[in-house]
Amino acid sequence: MPRAAEPTQLSLFDVAPPANPVPAAPRADAVPPPASAPVPPPALRHPQAQREVLLGGHRVGYALRRARRRSIGFVVGPEGLAVSAPRWVGIAEIEAALQSKAAWVLRKLHEQAERQRRQQALRIEWRDGATVPFLGEPVIVVLDARVSGTVLDAGGEALPGIARLVLRVGLPEHATPQQIRDAVHGWLQRQARRIFEERCRHFEARLGVRMTRLALSSAATRWGSASADGSIRLHWRLVHLPLASIDYVVAHELAHLREMNHSPAFWDVVRSVIPDVERVRRALREHPLPPDD
């Protein structure tokens, strides 16, 4: 399932532990490195890095974790490069694996840095006149003590460069940023539940499944999850995104009620209701969200 601020993972070298380990060939489904990678950002050290390796002329500090597993796994997340490896695999073999995928690692580090830059540009300053994304559209926050609660005014006409949606928040002009943030987040979460329930019911009928329970999530790394008992969890911050992205996540999780896996059969179920699944999935991954603070 796609993840909030999703780490990029590459699992390589699926082999049984030999008596004298030697580098194994990459799996057939491993992501191939590009012909060339963009110049990576200057900050290439994971905050929990214990080791460094020179990749493509760039010194990369990576966090190494020993685990009970049969493969060497790479994860490039917001903090940098993390490597998980079996206890029997030596450092030389781990770093040989990193060298073999140096272009991939550097490209993913660059993409993470660019994503963070875009997220910072979207940081919300919680004040009168702040702009918040809702269903892919900008909404202007207006403090209005005369209003009871929080009211969305969608009556405006769309003008170039001007948001047509106004969210009137029943707070005085001297309200603190925390008060404004809490009021807007509360409204967004109520809208998320309403919209998610509506879209779940829509896709339930089309997929021939039954959702038993819907819960909002604030998970750090997942957009949603599904359980065999029919319960669905969806991250409330999806409500920032266009409806097409929400529909993809909803359909994805409901499809798990028929196929509790990511097999070709599962993706066929998703495509039955989201025909352009690859494009929508890519857009979800690439769409930045404002930092949750």
Side-chain angles (χ1 to χ4, degrees), residues 1 193 196-197 199-201 204 207 209-217 223-235 238 246 249-258 260:
M1 181 64 246
R193 177 169 289 280
F196 297 169
E197 286 180 348
R199 302 316 293 164
C200 282
R201 298 308 175 197
E204 268 185 326
L207 290 170
V209 298
R210 180 175 176 270
M211 177 185 70
T212 58
R213 177 175 175 267
L214 172 66
L216 297 186
S217 165
W223 282 125
S225 62
S227 300
D229 65 1
S231 60
I232 300 292
R233 294 177 63 86
L234 298 171
H235 202 301
L238 277 167
I246 296 173
V249 177
V250 168
H252 183 118
E253 299 308 337
L254 289 175
H256 278 311
L257 301 185
R258 283 176 55 180
M260 194 59 74

Side-chain angles (χ1 to χ4, degrees), residues 126-167:
W126 294 104
R127 57 174 179 79
D128 188 31
T131 300
V132 178
F134 173 60
L135 295 182
E137 285 197 61
V139 176
I140 296 176
V141 175
V142 174
L143 302 186
D144 187 346
R146 300 168 299 177
V147 171
S148 176
T150 310
V151 178
L152 181 67
D153 181 356
E157 294 185 6
L159 297 174
I162 299 176
R164 71 179 185 88
L165 301 176
V166 174
L167 185 65

Side-chain angles (χ1 to χ4, degrees), residues 71-110:
S71 64
I72 301 172
F74 304 154
V75 177
V76 178
E79 293 186 317
L81 172 63
V83 179
S84 296
R87 294 181 177 88
W88 54 267
V89 176
I91 295 298
E93 186 175 347
I94 291 170
E95 297 196 347
L98 283 168
Q99 291 293 345
S100 74
K101 294 298 177 183
W104 181 90
V105 170
L106 294 174
R107 176 165 58 88
K108 292 303 177 182
L109 286 168
H110 175 85

Side-chain angles (χ1 to χ4, degrees), residues 4 8 28 59 66 80 96 139 159 249 255 267 275 281:
T8 304
R59 191 164 296 280
R66 296 294 186 170
V139 176
L159 297 174
V249 177
W267 289 110
R281 187 182 183 195

Side-chain angles (χ1 to χ4, degrees), residues 4-134:
E6 177 184 21
T8 304
Q9 302 187 36
L10 182 63
S11 185
L12 301 174
F13 310 111
D14 270 345
V15 292
N20 297 300
V22 294
R27 287 176 16 179
D29 62 349
V31 178
S36 61
V39 176
L44 295 174
R45 185 176 181 82
H46 193 288
Q48 298 174 356
Q50 310 103 322
R51 302 197 58 84
E52 290 186 346
V53 63
L54 196 64
L55 299 178
H58 301 275
R59 191 164 296 280
V60 177
Y62 65 94
L64 174 61
R65 183 175 69 90
R66 296 294 186 170
R68 287 190 174 184
R69 53 180 297 152
R70 295 169 58 86
S71 64
I72 301 172
F74 304 154
V75 177
V76 178
E79 293 186 317
L81 172 63
V83 179
S84 296
R87 294 181 177 88
W88 54 267
V89 176
I91 295 298
E93 186 175 347
I94 291 170
E95 297 196 347
L98 283 168
Q99 291 293 345
S100 74
K101 294 298 177 183
W104 181 90
V105 170
L106 294 174
R107 176 165 58 88
K108 292 303 177 182
L109 286 168
H110 175 85
E111 290 173 359
Q112 284 288 347
E114 176 61 18
R115 182 182 182 87
Q116 289 183 342
R117 185 195 67 76
R118 292 167 65 195
Q119 282 185 319
Q120 291 305 313
L122 292 172
R123 184 176 294 278
I124 299 168
E125 183 180 352
W126 294 104
R127 57 174 179 79
D128 188 31
T131 300
V132 178
F134 173 60

